[in-house]
Amino acid sequence: MDVTTYSDFRRSLKSYLDRVFTSRSPLFIKRANGEDMVVMSKADYESMEETFYLMKSPKNAARLLRGIEQFNQGRGNERVLIEE
């Protein structure tokens, strides 16, 4: 996890954004006069939003967690998807 100051982020914007993209790791920006910020790739943000959406429903969250547990116990079945 990288951490930088707002001033340094502005000075090296391209370098920091390239690093966030290639490392797939968020960048934390400390600000002296304001709330700290986080920069992440769009793909990571969309993935996080999808996870939040799927876990919002307690019933769906329990079903997903049960499925993950079953898979980890070796009770999963691999299937070939049909692409159209």
Side-chain angles (χ1 to χ4, degrees):
M1 153 176 68
D2 286 337
V3 179
T4 190
T5 63
Y6 179 74
S7 298
D8 191 45
F9 178 69
R10 282 189 333 185
R11 214 176 5 260
S12 305
L13 179 64
K14 182 183 181 331
S15 172
Y16 278 116
L17 293 179
D18 288 345
R19 193 177 320 160
V20 166
F21 177 76
T22 55
S23 71
R24 304 284 305 234
S25 179
L27 171 68
F28 294 86
I29 304 167
K30 305 280 260 165
R31 297 173 57 194
N33 297 320
E35 190 172 346
D36 294 344
M37 305 298 291
V38 176
V39 175
M40 64 175 40
S41 73
K42 181 181 176 192
D44 288 343
Y45 174 78
E46 289 172 343
S47 176
M48 185 178 70
E49 285 291 305
E50 180 72 13
T51 301
F52 288 159
Y53 174 78
L54 292 172
M55 299 300 280
K56 188 171 22 176
S57 160
K59 277 182 136 179
N60 196 51
R63 186 182 64 80
L64 290 170
L65 293 173
R66 192 169 47 254
I68 291 169
E69 184 179 326
Q70 289 171 353
F71 177 79
N72 289 335
Q73 294 172 352
R75 295 171 33 205
N77 295 321
E78 185 174 342
R79 298 190 182 181
V80 178
L81 298 178
I82 300 171
E83 293 188 32
E84 294 182 32

